[in-house]
Amino acid sequence: MKDSDFLIPWSKDSLVVNYTEVLVLGSGIAGLFAAIKLSRKFDVTVLTKKNIMEGNTEHAQGGIAVALNQDDSPEFHYGDTILAGAGLCNLEAVKILAEKGPECVRRLIELGTKFDRHDNELDFTKEGAHSKRRVLHARGDATGEEIERALVEVVRSRLITVKENHYVIDFIKNHHGEIAGVLVLNQISGKVEAWLAKAVVLATGGLGQLYKHTTNPELATGDGIAAAYRAGAELMDMEFIQFHPTALLLPGAPSFLISEAARGEGAKLLNVRGERFMEGIPGQELAPRDVVARAIWEQMKDSPVYLDFSCLEQPQDRFPTIYSTCLDYGIDISTTPVPIGPAAHYMMGGVKVNNMGETNLANLYACGECACNGVHGANRLASNSLLDGLVFASMITDSLSSKTFVLAKWENVRPFKGVWDINQKGSADVQFLRKQIKDIMWEKAGIIRTQQGLLEAYSQLIKFWEEFTPSLEVPHLELGNMISLGLIIAKTAMEREESRGGHYRSDFPFANKHWQKHSVLKRGDQHVGYVSI
Ligand SMILES: Cc1cc2nc3c(=O)[nH]c(=O)nc-3n(C[C@H](O)[C@H](O)[C@H](O)COP(=O)(O)OP(=O)(O)OC[C@H]3O[C@@H](n4cnc5c(N)ncnc54)[C@H](O)[C@@H]3O)c2cc1C
C-alpha cells in the first residue's frame, strides 16, 4: 500500500457532502462529554462506528478516580499519578486532571450518573497504587455502562445529531492544509460521504485489538489515531501500552477483564501450587500494573495463574458483572479461583495534544484514549482514564468556545488524484491477517520486548503493508490501520533502549535518565523524535 494521506484513494466527485459546525468523532466518555458541553454554543454532530453505546467506556468496570473523599485532596491524587507515570508525566496536565477532576465528576453526577452510595454518601474504593480510597463506581462493577447510559440520555435529549454506523476513514483538508472535515463510510447506505465542519474533535478511543489478548472490544482498532497520522498529526509515546494483569484466560472465552478493584478489595494471585507469588514484591497484588503483569507472565511460563476471591465476603454482590460472566464459563468466583492472564488494556500514547487538546493540525482536537498529552506518563494509574476523558474533553470545549472558526466550504477542499473504484476487491484474507498481526504484536511487541523481536515484528508488518490493498469494507479499513499502528509501535519501541512503565525491554531492563523524554513521530519522519514536556 502507498504512503499517502488516504487509506483509500477518492475523488471529490459523486460524494454526498454534509455540514455541521463541530464534528465529534466517537461516542465514548470523551466524545459525548465534549459533545454535550459544545452543544451549548455549536451545532454538533457525533459520528460513531457502531451503535452509540459501543466502545471501551461501556466496558469500564472498576471506576473513576477523583479526589472527592474527605481525607483525600487533588495533591494526593497528583502525587499518586506522577509516581505511577514512571518519570514521564506532563506535570501541568496531571495538575489539571487532579484539580479539575472533582468539578467534572460533579457535573457527571448532575447529568444523571448514579454512582454507588453507602448511607447516602458516595462510596469510594481503593485500587492499585492509589494512596487513598478515591475510586467511584456504579452498580458494583458496571461503572462505564452507567456513565455511558447517562451521557447517551443527555445527548438524546439535546439537539445533537448522532450518526451511528458511520465509520470515519480519513481527514480532509482545505487549500491551506487545515483540517476541513472527514471522509466517512456510511455503513447503512454503503456510500462514502464527506462531512465538513469548523472544527473536529477526535475521540475514537484505543487500539487494544492490535494484540492477541485484549480487554478491549472488537472495534478498538485505533482508526482515529491512524487516520490522524496519515493526515500529518504527530503521535506521541506510542511504545507505551498498558497490559492489564488480570483478564479471564479460558479457551474459547474472551479476555474479559477482572477489575483491579478485585485485588483492591483483597483478592489474591496464586500460582498452580497455591502460592502467593506477589508476596515478596513491594505493593504485592497492588503493585503497579506493569510489575504485576510481568510477574504473572513469568509464572505462566511454568503454570497457570489464578485470582482467588475466597477471602472476600459475598464477591457476587460487590462484583456482579465479573461474577455472572465467570459463572457463564462455569466458574463460581465465591468458591473457585479464576484462571487469569495479562491482556493489552490501555494506550498511553496517541495523537499528540497540548493541555487544551490542540493537535499540530489546525482545527483538529483530540481527547480521551486516542489522545496523548503525557498525563499518564509511561504508565496510567488505575481508573484515571475515564477522568482523563472528562477533564480534557472539557478543556477542549473551553478552548473551542473562545475561538472563531470558519465553516469549511466544499470548493475549498483540496482536490485529490485517483478515483476510488467501488468494486475494488481487497488483496487480503482479512481474518487471517488480523490474527497474524495480533499474534506478532503479542509475541514480539507485547509485555516483554527485545531488539530482535521488535525487528522481526517490524519486518513482518512491512511486508503486510506493502502487499495490502484495502477494499471499502470496515474490516479491510481496520486492517490497514492496524498494520500502520503496529509498525509505529514496533518502531518507537525499538528505538527506546530502556524499560519504563508499559514499555519493558529485557535487553535494557532498567530505566535510563537519558530516555526520560517523550517519543514523537509523524508521517514522513525517518527517525523518532524526542521531546521533554
Ligand atoms: C474492559 C475495560 C475496563 C476498563 N476499566 C476502566 C476503569 O475502571 N476505569 C477507568 O478509568 N478506565 C477503564 N478502562 C479504560 C477506559 O474505559 C477507556 O480508556 C475510556 O473509556 C476511553 O474513552 P474514550 O471516550 O476515549 O474511548 P471509547 O469509549 O473507546 O470510545 C471510542 C469511540 O470512538 C468510536 N470510533 C472508533 N473508531 C471509529 C471510526 N473509525 N469511526 C467512527 N467512530 C469510531 C467508537 O465507536 C466509540 O464510540 C477500561 C477499559 C476496558 C476495555
Coordinates of all heavy atoms in Angstrom, one line a residue, residues 26-30 47-49 54-57 59-63 166-168 203-205 215-216 219 223 257 345-346 368-369 380 383-386, ligand 1:
G26 N -16.6 9.7 17.6 CA -16.6 8.8 18.7 C -17.6 9.1 19.8 O -17.8 10.3 20.1
S27 N -18.2 8.1 20.4 CA -19.3 8.3 21.4 C -19.0 7.6 22.7 O -19.9 7.1 23.3 CB -20.6 7.8 20.8 OG -20.5 6.5 20.4
G28 N -17.7 7.6 23.1 CA -17.3 7.2 24.4 C -17.4 8.4 25.4 O -18.0 9.4 25.1
I29 N -16.9 8.2 26.6 CA -17.0 9.3 27.6 C -16.4 10.6 27.1 O -17.0 11.6 27.3 CB -16.3 8.8 28.9 CG1 -16.6 9.8 30.0 CG2 -14.8 8.6 28.8 CD1 -16.2 9.4 31.4
A30 N -15.3 10.5 26.4 CA -14.6 11.8 25.9 C -15.5 12.4 24.9 O -15.8 13.7 24.9 CB -13.3 11.5 25.4
L47 N -20.2 11.4 15.1 CA -20.1 10.2 14.1 C -19.5 9.1 14.9 O -18.5 9.2 15.6 CB -19.2 10.5 12.9 CG -19.6 11.7 12.1 CD1 -18.5 11.9 11.0 CD2 -21.0 11.6 11.5
T48 N -20.2 7.9 14.8 CA -19.6 6.8 15.6 C -19.8 5.5 14.8 O -20.7 5.3 14.0 CB -20.3 6.7 17.0 OG1 -19.6 5.8 17.8 CG2 -21.8 6.3 16.9
K49 N -18.8 4.6 15.0 CA -18.5 3.5 14.2 C -19.7 2.4 14.2 O -20.0 1.8 13.3 CB -17.2 2.9 14.7 CG -16.6 1.7 14.0 CD -15.2 1.5 14.5 CE -14.6 0.3 14.0 NZ -13.2 0.2 14.5
E54 N -21.3 1.6 22.1 CA -20.2 0.7 22.0 C -18.8 1.4 22.0 O -18.6 2.4 21.3 CB -20.3 -0.1 20.7 CG -21.3 -1.2 20.9 CD -21.3 -2.2 19.7 OE1 -20.3 -2.8 19.4 OE2 -22.4 -2.3 19.1
G55 N -17.9 0.9 22.8 CA -16.6 1.5 22.9 C -16.0 1.0 24.2 O -16.6 0.2 24.9
N56 N -14.8 1.4 24.5 CA -14.1 1.0 25.7 C -14.9 1.5 27.0 O -15.0 0.8 28.0 CB -12.7 1.5 25.8 CG -11.7 0.6 25.0 OD1 -12.2 -0.4 24.5 ND2 -10.5 1.0 24.9
T57 N -15.5 2.7 26.9 CA -16.1 3.2 28.1 C -17.2 2.3 28.6 O -17.2 2.0 29.8 CB -16.8 4.6 27.7 OG1 -15.8 5.5 27.2 CG2 -17.5 5.2 28.9
H59 N -17.3 -0.7 28.7 CA -16.7 -1.9 29.4 C -16.0 -1.6 30.7 O -15.6 -2.5 31.4 CB -15.8 -2.6 28.5 CG -16.5 -3.2 27.3 ND1 -17.0 -4.5 27.2 CD2 -16.8 -2.6 26.1 CE1 -17.6 -4.7 26.1 NE2 -17.5 -3.6 25.4
A60 N -15.8 -0.3 31.0 CA -15.1 0.1 32.2 C -15.8 -0.5 33.4 O -17.0 -0.3 33.6 CB -14.9 1.6 32.3
Q61 N -15.0 -1.1 34.3 CA -15.6 -1.7 35.5 C -15.3 -1.0 36.7 O -16.2 -0.5 37.4 CB -15.1 -3.2 35.6 CG -15.4 -4.1 34.5 CD -14.7 -5.5 34.8 OE1 -14.0 -5.6 35.7 NE2 -15.1 -6.4 33.9
G62 N -14.0 -1.0 37.1 CA -13.5 -0.6 38.4 C -14.1 0.8 38.9 O -14.6 0.9 40.0
G63 N -13.9 1.8 38.0 CA -14.5 3.1 38.4 C -13.7 4.3 37.9 O -12.9 4.1 37.0
H166 N -21.4 5.0 11.2 CA -20.6 5.9 10.3 C -19.1 5.8 10.7 O -18.7 6.2 11.7 CB -21.0 7.4 10.5 CG -22.3 7.7 9.7 ND1 -23.5 7.0 9.9 CD2 -22.5 8.7 8.8 CE1 -24.4 7.5 9.0 NE2 -23.8 8.5 8.4
Y167 N -18.4 5.1 9.8 CA -17.0 4.8 10.0 C -16.1 5.9 9.4 O -16.1 6.0 8.2 CB -16.7 3.4 9.4 CG -15.3 2.9 9.6 CD1 -14.9 2.1 10.6 CD2 -14.3 3.4 8.7 CE1 -13.6 1.6 10.7 CE2 -13.0 3.0 8.8 CZ -12.7 2.1 9.9 OH -11.4 1.7 10.0
V168 N -15.4 6.5 10.3 CA -14.5 7.6 9.8 C -13.3 6.9 9.2 O -12.6 6.1 9.8 CB -14.1 8.5 11.0 CG1 -13.0 9.5 10.5 CG2 -15.3 9.2 11.6
A203 N -12.2 11.6 19.2 CA -12.3 10.9 20.4 C -12.7 9.4 20.1 O -13.6 8.8 20.7 CB -13.4 11.5 21.3
T204 N -11.8 8.8 19.3 CA -12.1 7.5 18.8 C -11.5 6.3 19.6 O -11.5 5.2 19.1 CB -11.6 7.4 17.3 OG1 -10.3 7.9 17.2 CG2 -12.6 8.1 16.4
G205 N -10.9 6.6 20.7 CA -10.5 5.5 21.6 C -9.2 4.8 21.3 O -8.4 5.3 20.4
T215 N -8.5 -6.7 26.6 CA -9.7 -6.4 27.2 C -10.7 -5.6 26.4 O -11.8 -5.4 26.7 CB -9.5 -5.7 28.6 OG1 -8.9 -4.4 28.2 CG2 -8.6 -6.5 29.5
N216 N -10.1 -5.0 25.3 CA -10.9 -4.0 24.5 C -11.8 -4.7 23.6 O -11.5 -5.8 23.1 CB -9.9 -3.2 23.6 CG -9.0 -2.2 24.4 OD1 -8.4 -1.3 23.8 ND2 -8.9 -2.3 25.7
L219 N -14.1 -3.2 18.2 CA -13.9 -2.0 17.4 C -12.7 -1.2 17.8 O -12.4 -0.2 17.1 CB -15.2 -1.1 17.5 CG -15.7 -0.7 18.9 CD1 -14.8 0.3 19.6 CD2 -17.1 0.0 18.7
D223 N -8.5 3.4 14.8 CA -8.7 4.0 13.5 C -8.4 5.5 13.5 O -7.8 6.0 12.6 CB -10.2 3.9 13.1 CG -10.7 2.5 13.0 OD1 -9.9 1.6 12.7 OD2 -11.9 2.3 13.3
L257 N -12.1 -8.6 31.4 CA -11.4 -8.0 32.4 C -11.9 -8.4 33.8 O -13.0 -8.4 34.1 CB -11.5 -6.5 32.3 CG -10.7 -5.7 33.4 CD1 -9.2 -5.7 33.1 CD2 -11.3 -4.3 33.5
H345 N -4.6 -3.5 27.4 CA -5.7 -2.8 28.0 C -5.9 -1.4 27.7 O -6.9 -0.9 27.4 CB -5.5 -3.0 29.5 CG -6.6 -2.5 30.3 ND1 -7.9 -2.9 30.2 CD2 -6.7 -1.6 31.4 CE1 -8.7 -2.3 31.1 NE2 -8.0 -1.5 31.8
Y346 N -4.8 -0.6 27.6 CA -4.9 0.8 27.5 C -3.7 1.4 26.8 O -2.5 0.9 27.0 CB -5.0 1.5 28.9 CG -5.1 3.0 28.9 CD1 -6.4 3.5 28.6 CD2 -4.0 3.8 29.0 CE1 -6.6 4.9 28.5 CE2 -4.2 5.2 29.0 CZ -5.5 5.7 28.7 OH -5.6 7.1 28.6
G368 N -9.4 11.9 25.2 CA -9.7 10.5 25.6 C -8.5 9.6 25.2 O -7.4 10.1 25.1
E369 N -8.8 8.4 25.0 CA -7.7 7.4 24.9 C -6.9 7.6 23.6 O -5.7 7.2 23.5 CB -8.3 6.0 25.0 CG -7.2 4.9 25.2 CD -7.7 3.6 25.6 OE1 -8.9 3.5 26.1 OE2 -7.0 2.6 25.4
R380 N -0.4 4.4 33.2 CA -1.5 5.0 33.7 C -1.9 4.5 35.1 O -2.0 3.3 35.3 CB -2.7 4.8 32.7 CG -4.0 5.3 33.2 CD -5.1 4.9 32.2 NE -5.4 3.5 32.1 CZ -6.4 2.9 32.7 NH1 -7.3 3.6 33.4 NH2 -6.6 1.6 32.5
S383 N -8.0 3.7 36.9 CA -9.2 4.5 37.0 C -9.0 6.0 36.6 O -9.8 6.8 36.9 CB -9.9 4.3 38.3 OG -10.5 3.1 38.3
N384 N -7.8 6.3 36.1 CA -7.5 7.7 35.7 C -8.0 7.9 34.3 O -8.0 9.1 33.9 CB -6.0 8.0 35.8 CG -5.7 8.8 37.1 OD1 -6.6 9.1 37.9 ND2 -4.4 9.1 37.3
S385 N -8.3 6.9 33.5 CA -8.6 7.2 32.1 C -10.0 7.7 31.9 O -10.2 8.6 31.0 CB -8.3 6.0 31.2 OG -8.9 4.9 31.7
L386 N -11.0 7.3 32.6 CA -12.3 7.8 32.5 C -12.2 9.3 32.9 O -12.8 10.2 32.2 CB -13.3 7.1 33.4 CG -13.7 5.7 33.0 CD1 -14.5 5.0 34.0 CD2 -14.4 5.7 31.6
Ligands
LIG1 C1 -12.6 -3.8 30.0 C2 -12.2 -2.4 30.3 C3 -12.2 -1.9 31.6 C4 -11.8 -0.6 31.9 N1 -12.0 -0.2 33.2 C5 -11.7 1.1 33.5 C6 -11.9 1.7 34.7 O1 -12.5 1.0 35.6 N2 -11.6 3.0 35.0 C7 -11.0 3.8 34.0 O2 -10.7 4.9 34.3 N3 -10.8 3.2 32.8 C8 -11.1 2.0 32.5 N4 -10.8 1.5 31.2 C9 -10.3 2.4 30.2 C10 -11.4 3.3 29.8 O3 -12.6 2.6 29.7 C11 -11.1 4.0 28.4 O4 -9.8 4.4 28.4 C12 -12.0 5.1 28.2 O5 -13.4 4.7 28.3 C13 -11.8 5.6 26.8 O6 -12.9 6.5 26.5 P1 -12.9 7.2 25.0 O7 -14.1 8.1 25.0 O8 -11.6 7.8 24.8 O9 -13.0 6.0 24.0 P2 -14.1 4.9 23.8 O10 -15.0 4.8 25.0 O11 -13.4 3.6 23.4 O12 -14.9 5.4 22.6 C14 -14.4 5.5 21.3 C15 -15.5 5.8 20.4 O13 -14.9 6.0 19.1 C16 -15.7 5.3 18.1 N5 -14.8 5.0 17.0 C17 -13.7 4.3 16.9 N6 -13.2 4.2 15.6 C18 -14.1 4.9 14.9 C19 -14.2 5.2 13.5 N7 -13.3 4.8 12.6 N8 -15.2 6.0 13.1 C20 -16.2 6.5 13.9 N9 -16.1 6.2 15.2 C21 -15.1 5.5 15.7 C22 -16.2 4.1 18.8 O14 -17.3 3.5 18.2 C23 -16.5 4.7 20.2 O15 -17.8 5.3 20.2 C24 -11.3 0.2 30.9 C25 -11.2 -0.3 29.6 C26 -11.6 -1.5 29.3 C27 -11.5 -2.0 27.9

